[in-house]
Amino acid sequence: MKRLRSPTAGFVLPYVLAVIVILSLITVLGAEVLRRSVSSATAIESKYRYNQALDRSERIVMHLFLKSPMAGTGLRLGQAADRRQNRSAENIQDLGVSQDEDIWLANGTWRQLNLDGLNVYIMYQDVAGLISLNFADTDIIERALASGLGEDADVASLTAKLVDYRDTDTRRSFQGGERADYRLKRLPPPTNSSLRTLKETSRVMDWGLSSPQLDFLTRNFTVLFGASRPIESRMQAETKNILNLAQTDLELTRSESLLQEELLSPPYPSETGRFTFLLIDPNTGAGLERIIEIQRQSGSADQAFYRRLITQDTVISEDYVIGDSDEIAKLPLPWASNN
């Protein structure tokens, strides 16, 4: 006798396969969520570790900057235990210091610290070697912007608008911009005061800079009080290149008075130093960059110094070429046992 086929016959196998597929998807998705969670937790832990190392490095550098005496064009750190430094004996003698002394030059010289297995590279730059957006001569600002912003940038117009933004009058200069021009473009009016931060340049008409351009501005400019022309001996190599010193009259001639030379080229670095902290994890190639300015305030009884954060951002190793780390001298810290 022929048996009738059940309505559910043949359903079990597809059902089982569907359940297996669903369970597999749940497993895969769960594993992906777990992987992302572990990755996020690792990233957070790494960033915390990086910040801790930068904080410790900053405290060490701040101690050195506030306590170490000035010598020549840098900080006297003590006796030099490691002679592998990017300077020659002739340069040291020109600065009027002994070859037995360890001088951290204030012209963009790098040093390094090793904290908890992480190398932190630190650059010391005297702000007197930077171009002041508030006080530098307009020809200096134009020359630097032309080099850093590219040929397409109308540097004369940008400089004029910058001057109109920060000066106290309401007279519009040629190619500049005052309150009426900002109103026409529906922009916040100019402050008619000095820039307080480098990022404030984004409020200046036509100064919508890209990230690379803002990085260029950060490396070579400052908003702090400075001379109308930066001091060449305090400049880092990049600033010298963008100003094209070989073909300009920035250098003082021998015929100028001794008083003027002394005023424009003081024998010691200024009371404000800019320090760039760069930490790169050798395992991942990622890290952090922090730029601060420390200003001594010897005349202030309640606050001996002022610390200003310029920027902090994540970086990758390809963004920086410091050179051979073996050629970068370490900060001589006898009181730091882990250095």
Side-chain angles (χ1 to χ4, degrees), residues 172 178-188 205:
R172 183 184 185 276
E178 285 290 353
R179 186 176 294 267
D181 302 282
Y182 282 79
R183 190 183 301 116
L184 286 174
K185 293 191 175 184
R186 297 183 179 180
L187 297 174
M205 185 184 298

Side-chain angles (χ1 to χ4, degrees), residues 37-58:
S37 300
V38 172
S39 178
S40 299
T42 302
I44 293 173
E45 182 181 0
S46 297
K47 192 169 184 179
Y48 174 79
R49 185 167 168 243
Y50 299 161
N51 274 297
Q52 288 289 95
L54 289 184
D55 290 342
R56 291 180 60 193
S57 301
E58 186 177 323

Side-chain angles (χ1 to χ4, degrees), residues 31-203:
E32 179 63 18
V33 171
L34 180 61
R35 186 190 67 80
R36 291 182 180 178
S37 300
V38 172
S39 178
S40 299
T42 302
I44 293 173
E45 182 181 0
S46 297
K47 192 169 184 179
Y48 174 79
R49 185 167 168 243
Y50 299 161
N51 274 297
Q52 288 289 95
L54 289 184
D55 290 342
R56 291 180 60 193
S57 301
E58 186 177 323
R59 289 193 294 268
I60 291 171
V61 167
M62 189 174 296
H63 175 89
L64 286 172
F65 185 67
L66 297 177
K67 297 291 185 179
S68 300
M70 293 293 180
T73 56
L75 289 175
R76 180 185 286 117
L77 301 177
Q79 299 299 317
D82 190 346
R83 302 310 307 163
R84 295 175 300 178
Q85 292 183 258
N86 297 325
R87 67 178 192 263
S88 64
E90 291 77 10
N91 290 335
I92 298 174
Q93 292 172 355
D94 290 342
L95 296 175
V97 297
S98 170
Q99 296 186 40
D100 294 330
E101 293 175 331
D102 190 11
I103 307 299
W104 191 3
L105 300 182
N107 59 354
T109 302
W110 289 92
R111 291 293 182 114
Q112 63 175 314
L113 286 170
N114 185 275
L115 302 172
D116 299 328
L118 294 172
N119 279 331
V120 181
Y121 300 94
I122 308 151
M123 185 179 71
Y124 173 29
Q125 169 67 65
D126 184 12
V127 294
L130 297 171
I131 305 165
S132 176
L133 286 174
N134 288 322
F135 301 98
D137 289 343
T138 55
D139 63 318
I140 299 297
I141 296 177
E142 285 185 19
R143 191 178 302 156
L145 293 180
S147 176
L149 302 187
E151 297 179 355
D152 296 335
D154 188 351
V155 296
S157 176
L158 291 176
T159 305
K161 289 180 173 61
L162 172 67
V163 173
D164 278 350
Y165 180 89
R166 58 177 170 78
D167 63 16
T168 56
D169 61 59
T170 57
R171 297 189 302 272
R172 183 184 185 276
S173 62
F174 176 66
Q175 293 186 304
E178 285 290 353
R179 186 176 294 267
D181 302 282
Y182 282 79
R183 190 183 301 116
L184 286 174
K185 293 191 175 184
R186 297 183 179 180
L187 297 174
T191 60
N192 295 122
S193 62
S194 299
L195 297 174
R196 290 160 293 183
T197 65
L198 289 172
K199 290 184 178 180
E200 192 180 346
T201 53
S202 62
R203 294 173 56 93

